């Protein structure tokens, strides 16, 4: 659990895309951010107040979150200076970098000296149990994809936002590093040891109020041979009551796997539902979320109509149109 | 990779069952064993020559394999004495205990001093890649179960034996600790980090002769919510050309999951085949292996006949009858 609120460290981001983690935090949890910290030459801007470490501390910031990718896989001397000063000022540090904070000797020593925490969100901080399959109270919805990187996290965050706006009880449950930095907690599922994957998801989505929804961030795809095992652990550990199918219609092959075609939405529906019903016999597919970024407005509308007719389910682009029809479908369950 | 041949350490086994790892090695790879080492009060006997450490070393033994479970989860002082002496004499040590050899300070120090290896086969020793899904040469058969612990390892070992006897090129590919100790190599799949599960199985079953079969040890079950993700990684990383369905007909619920019924063989066939064809569109289900230990001879025969008629596939108990019909089905592929 990462202490909030944050000061977002944008470093010397060479372009806005390098700071997409910071952008995610700003977009989805603006209340978690007191400001941004930018170095000379930073080309990213979250439209948050620029603050020094001391100013942000004064404003209540607890954790300096590295919201930017490091260049060349190394934490530079210029970054180091800021991070060490932050520890001295009483900040915890959090990052999802491949380079682990804890493996930088000077940071590790300073954190020990100052009693501060280094959160490397790629690494589990919890000993998860083996899944026991017991039915838990409360409701759960999971986004599953025809492929990796088709908008599952975005869909879950948008759904959580729209459900809260509709007065429903809802919690976004992060299962990847960006999601964990956004909310301050979650399970870095791709780094969990095989035997404990499903158990980590049971741990993440415990008993809750009968009318509470966990909106579980999906990972991978049942049809992506590199990561399908991770996805099935989510389907079985999450015991979803509802599935949302996620798709990107211009993808020509599975991400990183030339020669592997994407499954149809029908195949995803049938396979995911059959497997999900092992853990929850009442599971339903309630709608479809399409990432239409590759289509213009009229193409997107035509595509969504066609999918909706073909599948007999509401189909939306959460980014373009929000998730209202999916929220309504969940309310009816 | 564990150096063979072995001296099997049976310690002070309180009963034969405690030494089932040693029994597996003796049954399946007798040529890997020069003898057994027993302490006072040992109640297990592999019917191998009893040898001192020095005698077995003389006879060529390279590794002392702990083939017995330790009582109370601790490595006793009496064991320790033998293990330390073995390191001094030039043995490597190998074990699949929950207590890791490497975490025992005296063993770790002695191994460092003597330059010997401590193999804890529950822990991966390799940095596996992420699966790339590329088609590999050679053929692969995988055992999948309606549940955990229904005879998948036994089926694979028996199949490997019978294929070799029929003059086929075959390699048993271990994916669990007992299998790894039996063959001296393999992947401890349940201990691999989620993102690398499928890649570890690609690594385990690389390009090979066109007429060579990898016989891959199965793990878990697609229908066992605690471990299904591990199983799917095997199905997708293994790219099997052939599946064998494994079943235990007297099981009343999924192992460790009261309230979860076993799937039918039909459901396992359909689900496993659909998922397997994502990685290998030519995959076939070629037969059924039933663990009939809970049935008497005539019940077993009647059950196998009934399954064979119902499924239109050869059905055998590998322990009672060998795997000849499965070998023939693989030869026809």
């Amino acid at each position: 659990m990462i202490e909030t609120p944050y000061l977002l460290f944008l470093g010397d981001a060479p372009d806005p895309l390098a700071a997409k983690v910071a952008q995610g935090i700003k977009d989805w949890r603006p209340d978690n951010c007191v400001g941004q910290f930018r170095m000379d030459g930073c080309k990213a801007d979250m439209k948050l107040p620029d603050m020094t470490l001391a100013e942000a501390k004064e404003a209540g910031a607890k954790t300096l979150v590295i919201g930017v990718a490091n260049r060349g896989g190394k934490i530079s001397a210029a970054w180091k200076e800021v991070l060490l000063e932050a520890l001295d000022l009483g900040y915890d540090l959090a990052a999802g970098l491949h380079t682990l904070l804890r493996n930088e000797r000077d940071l590790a020593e300073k954190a020990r000296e100052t009693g501060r925490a280094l959160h490397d969100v790629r690494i589990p901080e919890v000993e998860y149990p083996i899944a026991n399959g017991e039915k838990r109270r409360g409701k759960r919805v999971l986004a599953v994809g025809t492929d990796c990187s088709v908008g599952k996290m975005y869909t879950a965050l948008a759904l959580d936002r729209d459900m809260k706006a509709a007065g429903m009880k809802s919690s976004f449950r992060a299962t990847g590093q960006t999601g964990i930095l956004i909310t301050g907690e979650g399970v870095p599922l791709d780094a969990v040891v095989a035997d404990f994957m499903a158990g980590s998801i049971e741990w993440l989505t415990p008993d809750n109020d009968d009318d509470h929804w966990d909106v579980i961030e999906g990972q991978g795809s049942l049809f992506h041979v590199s990561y399908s095992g991770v996805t099935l652990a989510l389907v079985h550990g999450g015991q979803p009551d509802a599935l949302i199918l996620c798709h990107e219609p211009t993808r020509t092959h599975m991400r990183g796997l030339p020669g592997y075609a994407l499954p149809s939405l029908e195949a995803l529906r049938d396979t995911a539902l059959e497997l999900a019903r092992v853990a929850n016999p009442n599971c339903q597919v309630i709608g479809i979320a399409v990432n239409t970024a590759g289509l213009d407005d009229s193409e997107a509308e035509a595509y969504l109509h066609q999918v909706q007719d073909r599948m007999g389910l509401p189909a939306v682009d959460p980014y373009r149109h929000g998730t209202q029809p999916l929220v309504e479908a969940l309310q009816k369950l």
Side-chain angles (χ1 to χ4, degrees), chain A:
Chain A
M1 183 115 183
I2 304 168
E3 280 202 81
T4 54
Y6 302 153
L7 174 63
L8 298 183
F9 177 81
L10 307 186
D12 46 2
D15 53 57
L17 199 63
K20 69 180 177 180
V21 168
Q23 192 68 55
I25 299 170
K26 161 64 185 348
D27 288 347
W28 295 107
R29 292 291 183 275
D31 293 350
N32 280 356
C33 313
V34 302
Q36 63 187 12
F37 183 100
R38 299 196 291 170
M39 291 162 48
D40 282 351
C42 181
K43 300 286 198 313
D45 182 2
M46 299 303 122
K47 317 282 183 203
L48 288 165
D50 282 296
M51 291 187 176
T52 64
L53 293 172
E55 287 166 353
K57 197 81 192 97
E58 187 90 347
K62 298 271 199 294
T63 303
L64 182 70
V65 173
I66 300 181
V68 57
N70 54 334
R71 283 189 262 193
K74 279 201 59 167
I75 296 180
S76 69
W79 281 29
K80 218 39 127 14
E81 212 175 300
V82 180
L83 303 184
L84 289 167
E85 191 192 338
L87 288 168
D88 269 329
L89 286 172
Y91 283 91
D92 292 340
L93 303 182
L97 306 174
H98 280 288
T99 319
L100 301 184
L101 298 173
R102 69 185 69 175
N103 289 348
E104 300 292 308
R105 211 174 44 189
D106 42 3
L107 292 179
E109 267 169 27
K110 179 68 80 180
R112 208 164 29 238
E113 262 172 57
T114 55
R116 305 319 310 165
L118 302 180
H119 297 285
D120 289 301
V121 301
R122 285 180 186 271
I123 307 291
E125 296 191 335
V126 172
E127 281 202 27
Y128 303 112
I130 286 182
N132 63 26
E134 285 171 21
K135 181 74 186 158
R136 307 188 294 290
R137 287 177 54 233
K139 293 187 174 295
R140 287 156 198 89
V141 53
L142 171 68
V144 292
T146 51
D147 193 1
C148 300
S149 307
V150 292
K152 292 185 300 291
M153 184 183 79
Y154 193 99
T155 298
L157 284 162
L159 193 62
D160 174 56
R161 173 196 64 202
D162 298 343
M163 289 168 82
K164 287 190 168 91
M168 298 167 73
K169 294 184 200 166
S170 160
S171 304
F172 170 76
R173 299 300 190 182
T175 62
Q177 51 164 330
T178 304
I180 294 171
L181 287 173
I182 289 174
T183 57
E185 57 189 338
V187 168
L189 184 57
D190 61 9
V192 173
V193 163
D195 248 3
F196 304 98
M197 293 186 301
S200 75
I201 302 306
E202 291 190 347
W203 175 90
L204 182 67
T205 60
D207 264 327
N208 213 318
D209 296 346
D210 288 332
D211 59 348
H212 176 275
W213 283 91
D214 279 329
V215 184
I216 308 172
E217 181 190 357
Q219 294 295 334
S221 165
L222 293 169
F223 292 82
H224 194 294
V225 296
S226 309
Y227 309 114
S228 54
V230 182
T231 312
L232 187 50
L234 270 166
V235 170
H236 282 164
Q239 297 183 349
D241 301 276
L243 295 174
I244 292 168
L245 311 181
C246 297
H247 185 54
E248 203 282 77
T250 68
R251 198 69 60 90
T252 54
H253 61 73
M254 297 294 282
R255 188 173 164 87
L257 302 176
Y260 281 80
L262 270 72
S264 66
L265 283 164
E266 287 85 347
L268 174 62
R269 174 194 64 200
D270 294 347
T271 299
L273 198 53
E274 196 208 340
L275 290 166
R277 285 181 173 167
V278 171
N280 185 344
N282 298 319
C283 185
Q284 306 283 335
V285 173
I286 61 102
I288 299 159
V290 181
N291 176 347
T292 64
L295 307 178
D296 69 25
D297 279 348
S298 68
E299 286 169 340
E301 199 172 325
Y303 184 82
L304 290 169
H305 267 293
Q306 182 251 310
V307 165
Q308 189 152 324
D309 289 350
R310 201 177 96 209
M311 304 289 293
L313 289 167
V316 299
D317 181 333
Y319 184 79
R320 273 185 148 126
H321 316 115
T323 66
Q324 197 51 38
L326 305 180
V327 173
E328 286 163 21
L330 290 175
Q331 284 173 319
K332 280 190 213 126
L333 264 200

